[in-house]
Amino acid sequence: MTITNVLVANRGEIARRVFATCRRMGIGTTAVYSDADAASPHVAEADAAIRLPGNTPAETYLRGELIIEAALSAGADAIHPGYGFLSENAEFARSVLDAGLVWIGPPVAAIEQMGSKVESKKMMDAAGVPVLAELDPAEVTDAHLPVLIKASAGGGGRGMRVVRDLAELRDQIAGAQREAESAFGDPTVFCERYLETGRHIEVQVMSDTFGKTWAVGERECSIQRRHQKVVEEAPSPLVEKIDGMRDRLFEAARLAAEAIGYEGAGTVEFLADEKGDFFFLEMNTRLQVEHPVTEQTTGLDLVRLQLQVASGLPLPANQPALRGHSIEVRLYAEDPAHDWQPQSGPVHKLEIPFTAGEFTVLDQPGVRLDTGVVDDSVVGVHYDPMLAKVISYAETRAEAAHLLATALQRAKIHGLVTNRDLLVRVLRHPAFLAGDTDTAFFATHDLAVLSAPLVSEADEALSIVAAALADSALNRGASRLAGLTPSGWRNLSSLPQTKSYESRTTGTHEVRYRFTRTGIAVEGHDGLELIAVAPDRVVLGVPGERGSVRRQFEIARYGDHVAVDSPLGPVAVRKLPRFTDPSEQVAAGSLLAPMPGSVIRLGAAEGDHVKQGQPILWLEAMKMEHTIAAPATGVLSALNVTVGQQVEVGTVLAVVEEEEQEQA
């Protein structure tokens, strides 16, 4: 059977990844897109693209019948589901086959058997695979705590909640069900005992239609936030140091695949302890987000193998040997320092240095970039806020970590707050470098410390000085008069010029400077030398104990947003206007929308007395619920939104008038 055109029932980076292999194989490509994704790179790259009217997943990418119609109308003969959305939906797979199309995935029966995490555990237990017992939510007692609520139909952290207090169980189950329904169209959840620490290790399997199953390699994905993976690597540091563990893992993974007659690419996930014992968590009947690290350490193109298996070809005679080490990080538009708050808006620039290839297997040490965004892309509120997967490949784990950390630190990521600083700090952390990467990594090593800015306060201040001098050069160049004269230059002494900038982490910075006959004088930066200045580049001579050090800064502007990049670290600030518009001020106690989203619940009514920390309302954005709580104890004097209302970032949702404290 020859596949000539593949429709990818997905979006963004996922679709671009599959398209890249299709192009290398001479296979045509078809995209589907929501209204929100009309300008997405995956749409432009496809040979044909079909619109799915609407924005939300439920309106678009979860509409299997529309996707099949799109494939037929575009002349595609196969559908690749990618990962997420309908990739593990047995009914969709069956409908694809019934429509006479090739399904690039496992048999429908295998998806059904593994689709229920409850039933799959029973099956794996019967097959001899170690399992962690499932708990009926109605039977959970204090003795079982803590427990983990999980969505039966999905993954990626959606619908997952940790419960440590039995009184919270009912509300947490309800919240998990809402998230699961929104993300997967199925509200079913279950509970299992929660291990506070553990290692998340998974095995990539690949099976053909002739009965051959490869356990291709293992990955460690223990560093997670909200039960969603953030850092993944192959091979696993734990498996590397425990004799015989890889053989036992591979045997368990093959047993799992063979027990359900598996075909194609799949992943068997385990939770392991430091002794090397492990328990089956689930089997993902699809390609995984983190599959690039396995590709890098085997030299295999897993999407190519998927297409070959779906075409009826056998796996090659010999499985490749493991090689080197690969680490992948997920670069998210989110703020780890503020409860991982997702961000939305324009990505003005995304440039990762040392990139040797995109969506391809590297043969030499370097960085691979798999991304669904390009310069000037917009991150919306309807989908996961992942910007890119940045993957390093090197001979050793230490080299791979160092290469990836340096690439991220020097990356130009303009426009949105991201988790970049956190990722670099993790990759350079002594515990990570020692291979101590359990699922409690962020709690153990203090999330506040890990999410702190890479750049020091002193270096941030120096970067802001460079921004001010670059702005001065920009103003001078725009002036029709005295174009060759330094801005603000006077023949006699004068007051310094002042430019103000706002940093998210250190507040307002006022840069006060004067151009002199011999150079420049900047208050608070004695001895600073101006070597070169242009609107987009400033070179400073910075005094030090052993003499002056030349530092180069690159400056980019997007409205009032200013990005300063240098080897010292990235800095992003907002240029403040000289005069403040009173109409832009908001009342004290105002609760502002931290992101665009939809109001899904209200927890209080106007006029209610509320306590500090009490939930006032809940927003849904990027498939997650976010609680908006009272900033202080007082009266809810205004509630400006209703359930179902869409709000933009910065919208005043409510106002709490704080109680006056009685004098002692």
Side-chain angles (χ1 to χ4, degrees):
M1 178 191 309
T2 300
I3 295 174
T4 63
N5 189 295
V6 173
L7 179 145
V8 178
N10 224 294
R11 61 179 298 277
E13 166 262 329
I14 303 168
R16 295 186 79 197
R17 167 66 191 93
V18 178
F19 289 166
T21 289
C22 288
R23 284 194 296 270
R24 289 191 288 266
M25 297 177 70
I27 296 173
T29 56
T30 299
V32 288
Y33 64 94
S34 67
D35 291 337
D37 279 338
S40 174
H42 84 273
V43 178
E45 290 176 356
D47 297 327
I50 310 295
R51 173 177 174 251
L52 303 175
N55 289 308
T56 68
E59 294 171 323
T60 56
Y61 299 107
L62 290 174
R63 295 281 302 277
E65 73 281 6
L66 295 184
I67 291 170
I68 292 171
E69 287 177 13
L72 295 173
S73 64
D77 49 19
I79 289 182
H80 191 300
Y83 26 94
F85 293 138
L86 294 171
S87 61
E88 295 179 284
N89 186 303
E91 281 304 312
F92 177 59
R94 182 178 287 109
S95 297
V96 170
L97 294 170
D98 289 346
L101 300 168
V102 176
W103 168 249
I104 304 173
V108 173
I111 301 174
E112 288 175 331
Q113 289 168 316
M114 293 295 103
S116 166
K117 293 180 175 62
V118 176
E119 296 304 316
S120 66
K121 284 191 174 184
K122 294 177 181 177
M123 183 175 295
M124 292 300 104
D125 190 22
V129 180
V131 301
L132 200 60
E134 175 256 340
L135 301 170
D136 184 334
E139 298 176 358
V140 173
T141 67
D142 282 318
H144 295 120
L145 298 177
V147 296
L148 178 65
I149 304 169
K150 298 179 74 172
S152 182
R158 310 302 180 196
M160 276 194 180
R161 307 286 182 96
V162 177
V163 178
R164 294 183 172 85
D165 184 341
L166 200 60
E168 299 177 358
L169 184 63
R170 175 180 290 185
D171 286 347
Q172 293 286 11
I173 287 175
Q177 288 172 330
R178 286 192 298 271
E179 285 186 356
E181 173 70 30
S182 175
F184 312 115
D186 183 348
T188 307
V189 299
F190 68 98
C191 296
E192 66 184 19
R193 185 165 57 93
Y194 179 62
L195 303 183
E196 293 283 2
T197 61
R199 307 286 279 256
H200 188 116
I201 298 174
E202 58 191 34
V203 179
Q204 176 73 57
V205 295
M206 180 66 69
S207 303
D208 62 20
T209 58
F210 299 90
K212 181 187 291 184
T213 295
W214 284 354
V216 181
E218 89 281 349
R219 300 182 286 258
E220 180 152 346
C221 313
S222 299
I223 298 181
Q224 304 179 6
R225 62 101 167 97
R226 288 177 171 167
H227 312 291
Q228 191 167 29
K229 302 157 189 173
V230 177
V231 181
E232 301 114 339
E233 60 181 310
S236 158
L238 178 67
V239 175
E240 287 279 273
K241 70 181 182 181
I242 296 181
D243 289 342
M245 185 177 178
R246 179 169 291 122
D247 290 340
R248 290 187 290 115
L249 272 172
F250 284 10
E251 177 61 22
R254 280 190 291 264
L255 280 174
E258 291 168 357
I260 58 172
Y262 202 76
E263 295 172 8
T267 301
V268 187
E269 300 196 0
F270 300 95
L271 188 64
D273 61 25
E274 295 297 328
K275 298 181 296 182
D277 293 329
F278 53 84
F279 305 93
F280 173 84
L281 288 176
E282 61 184 333
M283 183 173 184
N284 291 296
T285 53
R286 55 175 168 81
L287 201 63
Q288 291 279 92
V289 178
E290 58 272 21
H291 75 273
V293 296
T294 297
E295 293 187 322
Q296 290 306 138
T297 51
T298 59
L300 294 170
D301 181 334
L302 294 177
V303 175
R304 179 184 178 87
L305 287 178
Q306 283 187 298
L307 291 165
Q308 290 175 335
V309 169
S311 299
L313 298 175
L315 289 172
N318 298 313
Q319 182 174 332
L322 297 178
R323 58 175 203 174
H325 201 96
S326 182
I327 304 174
E328 172 182 298
V329 295
R330 302 190 192 186
L331 181 66
Y332 282 102
E334 66 182 9
D335 186 354
H338 292 86
D339 196 29
W340 308 97
Q341 194 175 93
Q343 309 290 301
S344 61
V347 181
H348 299 303
K349 191 174 191 63
L350 179 64
E351 182 180 300
I352 310 293
F354 317 137
T355 297
E358 297 185 6
F359 304 108
T360 189
V361 181
L362 305 181
D363 293 325
Q364 298 293 327
V367 171
R368 165 178 166 175
L369 180 65
D370 287 16
T371 179
V373 304
V374 295
D375 292 357
D376 298 322
S377 288
V378 175
V379 176
V381 300
H382 301 291
Y383 314 112
D384 188 276
M386 188 175 76
L387 299 180
K389 301 182 313 196
V390 189
I391 308 110
S392 65
Y393 171 62
E395 291 183 6
T396 66
R397 184 174 187 268
E399 182 184 351
H402 176 74
L403 174 61
L404 188 52
T406 303
L408 288 166
Q409 178 172 351
R410 298 189 182 185
K412 294 179 181 177
I413 308 168
H414 300 167
L416 288 174
V417 175
T418 73
N419 64 340
R420 178 251 299 274
D421 292 6
L422 171 91
L423 297 174
V424 174
R425 290 192 180 278
V426 168
L427 292 166
R428 290 176 174 166
H429 198 283
F432 177 83
L433 295 174
D436 298 332
T437 56
D438 63 33
T439 53
F441 191 91
F442 291 134
T444 302
H445 300 293
D446 193 346
L447 178 60
V449 174
L450 290 170
S451 58
L454 286 173
V455 66
S456 68
E457 289 192 15
D459 289 340
E460 180 190 48
L462 191 63
S463 297
I464 295 173
V465 168
L469 298 178
D471 279 344
S472 177
L474 181 68
N475 294 337
R476 185 167 66 253
S479 174
R480 294 183 179 181
L481 300 174
L484 299 177
T485 305
S487 174
W489 186 88
R490 297 291 184 274
N491 203 22
L492 300 173
S493 297
S494 63
L495 293 174
Q497 295 189 74
T498 301
K499 287 185 171 60
S500 299
Y501 301 85
E502 184 180 58
S503 163
R504 294 179 63 258
T505 54
T506 55
T508 300
H509 291 247
E510 282 195 347
V511 181
R512 300 167 65 85
Y513 62 95
R514 286 185 299 110
F515 286 99
T516 69
R517 291 186 179 89
T518 57
I520 193 170
V522 182
E523 291 187 10
H525 296 270
D526 294 342
L528 192 67
E529 180 184 3
L530 180 59
I531 296 171
V533 60
D536 60 353
R537 178 176 172 270
V538 172
V539 182
L540 299 175
V542 183
E545 294 181 1
R546 299 186 179 182
S548 179
V549 178
R550 183 173 291 198
R551 299 285 187 189
Q552 179 172 303
F553 303 84
E554 295 182 48
I555 296 90
R557 299 170 195 81
Y558 311 93
D560 62 359
H561 176 85
V562 182
V564 185
D565 293 295
S566 79
L568 296 174
V571 171
V573 292
R574 183 172 69 91
K575 186 177 180 180
L576 298 176
R578 293 183 64 187
F579 304 103
T580 303
D581 184 346
S583 68
E584 295 180 355
Q585 303 299 308
V586 297
S590 295
L591 282 71
L592 306 183
M595 70 205 78
S598 175
V599 178
I600 57 172
R601 293 172 63 200
L602 297 176
E606 191 170 311
D608 285 356
H609 184 273
V610 296
K611 294 183 178 180
Q612 183 177 4
Q614 177 181 334
I616 301 299
L617 56 93
W618 286 261
L619 286 179
E620 182 181 58
M622 298 177 180
K623 300 187 287 185
M624 299 289 284
E625 286 188 13
H626 305 274
T627 304
I628 308 299
T633 297
V635 174
L636 186 62
S637 60
L639 182 61
N640 303 328
V641 294
T642 57
V643 172
Q645 183 175 337
Q646 292 286 330
V647 297
E648 296 300 318
V649 63
T651 300
V652 179
L653 305 171
V655 179
V656 175
E657 291 187 4
E658 188 173 357
E659 289 182 339
E660 292 187 10
Q661 299 296 317
E662 294 184 5
Q663 298 295 321

